Amino acid sequence: MKSKDTYQRYSRQILLREFGKIAQQKLLDSKILVIGAGGLGCPALQYLAAAGAGTIGVIDFDFVEISNLQRQPLYGVEDAGKSKAAAAGSKLNALNPDIEIHSFYLKLDNKNALQIISDYEVIIDGSDNYSTRYIINDACVILDKPLVYGAVLRYEGQAGVFNFTCKRTGIRTNYRDLFPKPPDANSVISCNEAGVLGVVPGIIGTMQASEAIKIITGIGDILCNEVVSYNLLTNTFYKFHISHSEESESLIPKS
């Protein structure tokens, strides 16, 4: 702990028997990258910043639109037209000026993914398209970085952790074990077309933040090799396991 004020800020976490000062210091020393500052990224970023993740990177190549505000409450009407990466950085600095925020206004691709991701310990995928998800996954496998996955559509969402070895089984899976190859673009429907209730990405994004915190601090059971699916309409959660396939890693570009 750097000061009395720092202790006071995080005191409710430090009081937790399983957490304490040691876990808080691990969090303060951590470097977490959130790719996508949209419906999933906003709640993940807010809770990571509030919890004291010492260095947070945020990548986004989009601008704030009024239609975003229904599910991206990190922004306000005054942010319309601004870069999401820049606006998110400003809001997070105001929330917690004691942490470092690195904002990247760029499109993650095969040329820059390895360089950017290599600087961080845990990667949170808040992207909204399959091509970016595969780029993120493949880079995390190559660089041996834990990947916290999330996806939402309509009234449902999913969260899980890839590329993290399960302590019980010694197995680790990646996104290609769930979806070996990208689906046909014409068969994929997005939130822009089908819609999404704003609280759903809030729930899933917060789950992603909690998994990142657990990975950094070593508390609890990680959702490694598992995906939790949530349905808002029926208020139900169910968990399914992912099996590792040797073929999945053969699909990952090596350069």
Side-chain angles (χ1 to χ4, degrees):
M1 302 294 103
K2 295 181 180 179
S3 67
K4 181 179 179 180
D5 290 340
T6 301
Y7 180 88
Q8 289 178 337
R9 176 183 285 273
Y10 308 116
S11 62
R12 298 304 185 271
Q13 294 173 180
I14 294 171
L15 286 171
L16 294 168
R17 183 176 300 175
E18 303 85 352
F19 203 85
K21 290 183 179 180
I22 293 176
Q24 185 62 57
Q25 191 60 56
K26 289 180 181 179
L27 198 53
L28 289 168
D29 293 337
S30 70
K31 300 182 71 174
I32 301 173
L33 179 64
V34 179
I35 301 171
L40 293 170
C42 281
L45 287 164
Q46 286 173 287
Y47 276 94
L48 289 171
T55 301
I56 300 174
V58 52
I59 297 177
D60 205 293
F61 193 59
D62 203 358
F63 297 91
V64 179
E65 299 178 4
I66 294 298
S67 61
N68 298 148
L69 304 183
Q70 160 258 7
R71 64 196 178 282
Q72 300 172 25
L74 179 61
Y75 311 116
V77 174
E78 71 279 3
D79 297 311
K82 296 180 182 178
S83 155
K84 285 187 178 180
S90 177
K91 301 285 185 176
L92 298 173
N93 275 320
L95 174 63
N96 190 346
D98 296 332
I99 63 174
E100 288 188 31
I101 307 295
H102 299 161
S103 298
F104 300 90
Y105 170 64
L106 55 79
K107 184 176 181 180
L108 196 76
D109 57 30
N110 289 320
K111 296 179 181 179
N112 58 31
L114 290 175
Q115 180 179 359
I116 295 171
I117 289 174
S118 65
D119 289 334
Y120 294 86
E121 296 172 70
V122 176
I123 312 303
I124 293 180
D125 181 1
S127 63
D128 60 0
N129 64 86
Y130 279 98
S131 60
T132 304
R133 289 174 188 165
Y134 282 94
I135 290 171
I136 297 168
N137 174 79
D138 295 352
C140 286
V141 172
I142 292 169
L143 296 169
D144 194 21
K145 304 286 185 178
L147 170 60
V148 184
Y149 157 77
V152 294
L153 186 67
R154 296 190 178 103
Y155 302 102
E156 298 182 63
Q158 296 181 338
V161 174
F162 294 114
N163 210 44
F164 187 89
T165 302
C166 176
K167 293 180 180 179
R168 296 188 301 274
T169 65
I171 296 173
R172 72 166 64 190
T173 56
N174 68 77
Y175 185 69
R176 289 184 183 270
D177 288 308
L178 181 60
F179 299 111
K181 295 181 180 180
D184 184 280
N186 295 324
S187 68
V188 177
I189 189 168
S190 69
C191 292
N192 290 337
E193 300 165 299
V196 61
L197 192 64
V199 295
V200 175
I203 293 167
I204 301 301
T206 304
M207 290 178 65
Q208 289 181 279
S210 69
E211 289 303 306
I213 290 172
K214 286 157 62 180
I215 291 169
I216 292 293
T217 61
I219 65 169
D221 294 325
I222 310 300
L223 277 173
C224 50
N225 310 324
E226 297 176 325
V227 171
V228 167
S229 183
Y230 169 67
N231 186 307
L232 178 140
L233 293 180
T234 59
N235 198 34
T236 54
F237 288 87
Y238 71 89
K239 184 188 297 184
F240 58 90
H241 297 268
I242 310 299
S243 298
H244 176 64
S245 168
E246 295 297 333
E247 295 180 0
S248 69
E249 295 197 18
S250 70
L251 297 170
I252 296 172
K254 302 305 178 186
S255 60

